[in-house]
Amino acid sequence: MSERENLCINIPRLSIIIPTLNEAENIKAALASTQPSTNVEVIVVDGGSKDKTVEIAKSVGVTVISSIAGRANQMNVGAVAASGDILLFLHADTRLPIGFDVMVRTALAQPGIVAGAFALRIDAEMGSLRLVEWGVNVRSRFLQMPYGDQAIFLTRQIFNEIGGFPELPIMEDFELMQRLKSLGKIAFIPVPVITSARRWLQKGIWQTTLLNQIIIIAYYLGVSPMRIWSWYRREKLRRL
């Protein structure tokens, strides 16, 4: 047995799960950011892409499986297929930092930590986006509420204990964090992942930020996720 193989046996396996739907423009960079790494598998869960997303993912040798579209469902399907002790959920338009695997394992080894996520960097040079990043990172560090575009990670044991992602059309990451916070602390890694600026640029930076806050408030007030999703989709289509 080689030294590397022996090392891998003693390091918890990490499964990266990437839900996709027509992400041909982004998936290659996301997959590239998962390397180099040690004892890591990558699973792309595609929800029926009509572009070359699946072709690109298969060309780099990662596992690709199909699922009914819906981010929560796709991530749960990926978790079932994963072989790792640790699960990391990566959006297809987000890139991991170098050394992410070591940072994840180190964070989860700390007493009382049940999950974690990275700081956020938005891939566009605009001062207003730096303010958005600041707000996201303050919320994540002090309120223990990172969202899905920050590469949420946790052990398989904890994931199974809380029942995985709730099957919601929206706010699945928010609800997951609420459940996790009842079990322990959420680690905040100050090294950022880099996520695409597309949704902020498509809808407008302040409009997107305001819409996000309205969605959160509505959810807290008991508005059904299905109704919130219909608002979100209507606003999205209006701006196309």
Side-chain angles (χ1 to χ4, degrees), residues 123-151:
D123 193 12
E125 296 303 321
M126 302 173 68
S128 52
L129 288 176
R130 302 292 80 81
L131 288 175
V132 172
E133 293 167 355
W134 177 83
V136 168
N137 294 331
V138 167
R139 181 198 70 217
S140 302
R141 182 187 291 274
F142 296 106
L143 299 183
Q144 301 267 282
M145 283 297 293
Y147 294 165
D149 51 9
Q150 294 171 253

Side-chain angles (χ1 to χ4, degrees), residues 180-199:
L180 288 168
K181 285 171 63 176
S182 69
L183 299 179
K185 295 180 180 179
I186 311 299
F188 175 75
I189 297 178
V191 180
V193 293
I194 300 175
T195 195
S196 169
R198 60 181 175 176
R199 63 189 174 100

Side-chain angles (χ1 to χ4, degrees), residues 16-181:
I16 299 173
I17 298 163
I18 309 177
T20 59
L21 182 63
N22 299 323
E23 291 286 358
E25 293 184 5
N26 297 296
I27 189 63
K28 190 171 184 178
L31 292 172
S33 76
T34 67
Q35 302 298 325
S37 54
T38 301
N39 203 14
V40 168
E41 72 171 348
V42 180
I43 301 173
V44 170
V45 187
D46 190 71
S49 294
K50 302 302 183 184
D51 61 8
K52 294 187 177 182
T53 298
V54 170
E55 181 181 330
I56 293 169
K58 287 182 176 180
S59 73
V60 298
V62 302
T63 299
V64 179
I65 58 179
S66 298
S67 163
I68 296 172
R71 183 172 282 162
N73 177 71
Q74 288 172 245
M75 291 189 290
N76 287 335
V77 168
V80 171
S83 63
D85 306 297
I86 298 170
L87 307 175
L88 184 152
F89 298 94
L90 181 66
H91 286 188
D93 62 353
T94 300
R95 305 190 298 276
L96 293 165
I98 295 173
F100 72 89
D101 53 331
V102 174
M103 289 184 260
V104 166
R105 293 186 181 103
T106 300
L108 290 177
Q110 303 304 307
I113 297 295
V114 295
F118 293 81
L120 183 71
R121 174 79 178 183
I122 302 170
D123 193 12
E125 296 303 321
M126 302 173 68
S128 52
L129 288 176
R130 302 292 80 81
L131 288 175
V132 172
E133 293 167 355
W134 177 83
V136 168
N137 294 331
V138 167
R139 181 198 70 217
S140 302
R141 182 187 291 274
F142 296 106
L143 299 183
Q144 301 267 282
M145 283 297 293
Y147 294 165
D149 51 9
Q150 294 171 253
I152 294 168
F153 57 85
L154 69 170
T155 64
R156 173 187 293 279
Q157 179 181 349
I158 292 293
F159 185 79
N160 291 337
E161 184 176 335
I162 63 174
F165 281 94
E167 296 283 347
L168 302 174
I170 196 169
M171 302 292 287
E172 76 286 339
D173 49 357
F174 185 92
E175 181 60 31
L176 183 84
M177 283 297 123
Q178 295 285 72
R179 296 179 184 181
L180 288 168
K181 285 171 63 176

Side-chain angles (χ1 to χ4, degrees), residues 21-23 71 93 169-170 198-204 207-208 211-212 215 227-240:
L21 182 63
N22 299 323
E23 291 286 358
R71 183 172 282 162
D93 62 353
I170 196 169
R198 60 181 175 176
R199 63 189 174 100
W200 285 277
L201 299 181
Q202 286 171 354
K203 299 178 187 176
Q207 294 93 325
T208 299
L211 178 60
N212 289 343
I215 286 172
R227 176 168 292 184
I228 295 172
W229 175 243
S230 71
W231 295 345
Y232 182 83
R233 290 292 297 172
R234 191 180 306 125
E235 179 67 13
K236 184 175 181 180
L237 290 171
R238 189 175 70 84
R239 294 184 177 276
L240 289 178

